[in-house]
Amino acid sequence: MLDRPTTRAGWEARAADLKPEGRAFIDGRPVAARSGRTFEKRSPVDGRVIAEVADCDAADVDAAVAAARAAFEDGRWRNLPPAEKKRILLAFADKVRADIDYLALLETLDVGKVIGNSLAVDVPFCANCLQYYAEFADKLYGEIAPVGPGDTALVSKEPLGVVGAIVPWNYPLIISAWKIGPALVAGNSVVLKPAEQSPLSAIRLGQLAKEAGLPDGVLNIVPGFGERAGQPLALHPDVDMISFTGSTEVGKLMMVYAGQSNMKRVALECGGKSPHVVLADADLDAAAESIAWGIFYNQGETCHAGSRILVHRSVQAALVEKIAAVAKAQIPLGHALDPAAQMGALVEPRHLERVLGYVETGRVEGARIACGGRRASGDGLDAGLYVEATILDDVAPDARVAREEIFGPVLVVTPFETEAEAVALANDSIYGLAAAVWTADMNATHRLTRSICAGTVWVNCFDRSSLATPFGGFRQSGFGRDRSPHAIEKYMDFKTIWTAYR
């Protein structure tokens, strides 16, 4: 194994030698798109082309689904003894850990996140998730229902069959593992469709799964664009479930496609506009640090990012000043291959334009730009897609930037006067993914956590997580949960086997 680089120059040299696999992974082997088409994968880090990727379409989806169906029907995976499933999935997790430098570099070059976080967070969290679900392989019990003395009613959990998993570009490895882990331990076969912006680490996962001993056809990777690969997967009549993470707009299409095809199951984790509610008695230093990291980590490209601050007017100015100071001191923007950087590049040019467009919209709507607001340049950043950490202060509750998901390093701040007003503002959203409450008053804590509509509500912290806790939202943030034992349940269904004795 090569020594891990410790400098930007070292990582750039490693990147220059990189020759990642860009073909689809179907039925246990890399394959070109049946059409022969490819698309350029251009890195947001520096704009260079890093791979030619298979531009898959309905024909490739058909091949992947057929391979997954054959693997499911002949039982090569679902009928393995639980201990053998566990052994293979644990080996898969170990393969991911052993490949950490390569996977981290792919992840950074694909989506622009800083190399330090790819190494410390994304790859380890992917491996940990696979390990977590592997441990359930021999712990999935059925039930015996309480019925009459002449009958036995067994209730077993059965895998659904073929699962289509469609994942976004912001955390490709982590979110892929959130879906692959529970779907596989439940006994399903999987067709994974990564975002066109981030196909490379997903393709590598397919290769590592095979090396770990996962039977051919059980995990298939189909890169391509949403309309040419994602839509055919969601419409496919031989797919039993779609597990989707992405925008609310596309999530709604998944429900339409399910209805237009075979009424397949759908699980959705979609957009968010997560509020922090900061009361006057809050520890402002602690709140500022968590708020800054919660919006500027990963360049704000996080579905549950704490992008809305609802703060008591009496402490608004002090809080904004402290958040800006944390961003400047602790979350430096830099080249994504610089180990010292904490904010990297946005994923693609149109997204950069979208984020900067929202900043301008906020300014026109009357917000004060407390810090940032510009595209970053200099120090080798000009060729990449970098935006400064930005705070929009005094944002009206009905402003577009207060209501729409920006998905970038842009924080909006809105003051309130009363607790009731804060709750009303927090819930005045189409989303319900996450929220946070900051106060020293435990009575207020209980009132607010009960009243705020969100799948996760943090108290005096933000973005604390565990694989043991479910993740997902209410309202138009979707339904179904990733993480925790509960995630396995959505990839299975109950079967009752009733025997009468005479």
Side-chain angles (χ1 to χ4, degrees), residues 240-257:
D240 299 290
M241 178 185 180
I242 287 290
S243 182
F244 171 84
T245 298
S247 70
T248 293
E249 178 185 11
V250 179
K252 291 178 180 179
L253 291 177
M254 295 296 128
M255 299 177 72
V256 173
Y257 298 152

Side-chain angles (χ1 to χ4, degrees), residues 238-327:
D238 208 22
V239 171
D240 299 290
M241 178 185 180
I242 287 290
S243 182
F244 171 84
T245 298
S247 70
T248 293
E249 178 185 11
V250 179
K252 291 178 180 179
L253 291 177
M254 295 296 128
M255 299 177 72
V256 173
Y257 298 152
Q260 289 176 339
S261 54
N262 58 341
M263 211 164 72
K264 57 176 61 67
R265 309 289 179 88
V266 178
L268 303 175
E269 195 270 284
C270 298
K273 192 72 175 176
S274 300
H276 288 265
V277 177
V278 184
L279 301 188
D281 66 345
D283 181 336
L284 296 187
D285 290 322
E289 184 168 0
S290 288
I291 289 167
W293 280 103
I295 182 61
F296 301 133
Y297 181 84
N298 205 52
Q299 306 76 246
E301 295 169 330
T302 300
C303 54
H304 65 273
S307 55
R308 268 197 305 159
I309 303 303
L310 307 174
V311 56
H312 193 274
R313 191 178 297 276
S314 65
V315 295
Q316 176 186 358
L319 180 64
V320 169
E321 183 179 348
K322 288 175 182 293
I323 296 169
V326 171

Side-chain angles (χ1 to χ4, degrees), residues 27 38 67 86 96 105 128 153 179 184 224 236 325 339 440 444 475 480-481:
D27 205 14
T38 63
K86 180 176 178 178
V96 170
L105 186 55
N128 292 347
K179 300 185 186 304
L184 290 182
H236 204 288
R475 297 177 172 172
R481 293 295 184 264

